[in-house]
Amino acid sequence: MHVSPSVIAELQRTTAPADIPVKAAEQRWAAYAPPGTAALFAGDTLLHTDLAPHNVLVDDRAHIIDWAWPTRGAAWIDPAILILRVLEAGHTLVDADALACRFPSWRTAPAEAKKAFAAANAAAWQEIARADAAPWKASMAGHAVAFHVHLHAKPGNR
């Protein structure tokens, strides 16, 4: 998988437009988040939230396409979503977390917020996999659960 960190870093500097209706992250994942934690996902950054390889075209630079789920929220959410795609490409949990740590937003995000989002994302992917038995969806649910467990076991995240 090749997703240029620079295109994501550039996206993280983009504020979600105020005059276009974009779902807020705390609303999008509220049904899946542990009670009382969805507010931790709030922010003003424009998030793509589906950084699958087919949504990033690379020529002389990277282009993020297919904005089916644009979201307004905390900048560290797109790196959290990228982690699952890195796992999907065959990398380890440690490698995926290390890639996310290349983004200041992920490094500085509160551990509580990252763990709450990992829980919400795992619950969302599990629901997706139950609704549609496509093997890739079950695989993504497994990656999301594994990353949630990894964050809880990671030193300094307790």
Side-chain angles (χ1 to χ4, degrees), residues 45-98:
T45 301
L46 178 62
L47 305 171
H48 185 273
T49 72
D50 188 16
L51 295 168
H54 59 273
N55 289 339
V56 181
L57 299 180
V58 180
D59 50 27
D60 59 325
R61 61 171 289 157
H63 306 272
I64 300 174
I65 63 168
D66 189 2
W67 286 79
W69 298 321
T71 303
R72 174 188 331 277
W76 53 264
I77 291 175
D78 267 343
I81 287 172
L82 181 60
I83 286 169
L84 299 188
R85 295 304 180 168
V86 171
L87 293 172
E88 179 185 37
H91 296 277
T92 68
L93 288 162
V94 172
D95 291 342
D97 196 14

Side-chain angles (χ1 to χ4, degrees), residues 20-40:
I20 297 173
V22 176
K23 194 167 214 172
E26 60 272 27
Q27 294 168 328
R28 181 165 172 199
W29 284 283
Y32 306 103
T37 64
L40 297 170

Side-chain angles (χ1 to χ4, degrees), residues 94-120:
V94 172
D95 291 342
D97 196 14
L99 175 69
C101 284
R102 293 176 66 181
F103 300 98
S105 64
W106 180 257
R107 285 194 310 272
T108 61
E112 175 189 14
K114 292 191 281 191
K115 288 191 290 187
F117 184 79

